């Protein structure tokens, strides 16, 4: 079974409240076997418009990545994130 990856590109509007999102998301990430491969750090936009924060999270499968997003645990966190940051989040199936 191929692994699944969240790719998130985020601009944080309220850094102090973003910490609340990180704390709220932790239970969902633990439940669905998330492994952070990239979390913030320096990024260079080679084409298109970059975002300030870029995150890559590995899950055991693409379905686990999707299930994590839709889980009640993560939806609590998502509501916070949507209030304090702008961005995009997608799931990519691994090879």
């Amino acid at each position: 079974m191929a692994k699944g990856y969240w790719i998130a590109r985020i601009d944080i509007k309220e850094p102090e409240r973003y910490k609340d999102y990180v704390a709220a998301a932790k239970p969902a990430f633990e439940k669905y076997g998330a492994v952070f491969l990239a979390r913030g750090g320096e990024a260079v936009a080679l084409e298109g418009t970059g975002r300030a924060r870029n995150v890559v999270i590995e899950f055991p499968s693409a379905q686990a990545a999707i299930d994590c997003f839709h889980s009640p645990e993560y939806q609590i966190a998502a509501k916070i994130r949507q209030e304090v940051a702008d961005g995009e989040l997608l799931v990519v199936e691994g090879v």
Side-chain angles (χ1 to χ4, degrees):
M1 178 181 314
K3 293 187 178 187
Y5 298 87
W6 276 21
I7 299 176
R9 302 174 58 244
I10 305 292
D11 286 329
I12 300 169
K13 299 182 292 189
E14 296 181 44
E16 286 304 312
R17 287 199 56 220
Y18 193 80
K19 293 175 186 176
D20 297 335
Y21 158 72
V22 171
K26 186 176 180 181
F29 291 146
E30 289 175 349
K31 179 178 179 179
Y32 289 92
V35 176
F36 285 81
L37 302 179
R39 189 178 208 174
E42 185 176 340
V44 177
L46 300 176
E47 290 188 23
T49 304
R51 294 263 187 195
R53 184 171 180 82
N54 299 281
V55 180
V56 179
I57 308 171
E58 180 181 82
F59 289 85
S61 67
Q63 190 60 55
I66 293 166
D67 291 346
C68 180
F69 179 82
H70 291 293
S71 71
E73 298 89 348
Y74 186 75
Q75 287 303 302
I76 292 167
K79 183 176 179 186
I80 298 168
R81 180 184 43 77
Q82 291 161 355
E83 292 173 1
V84 303
D86 296 320
E88 299 84 33
L89 172 64
L90 59 107
V91 171
V92 177
E93 186 175 42
V95 294

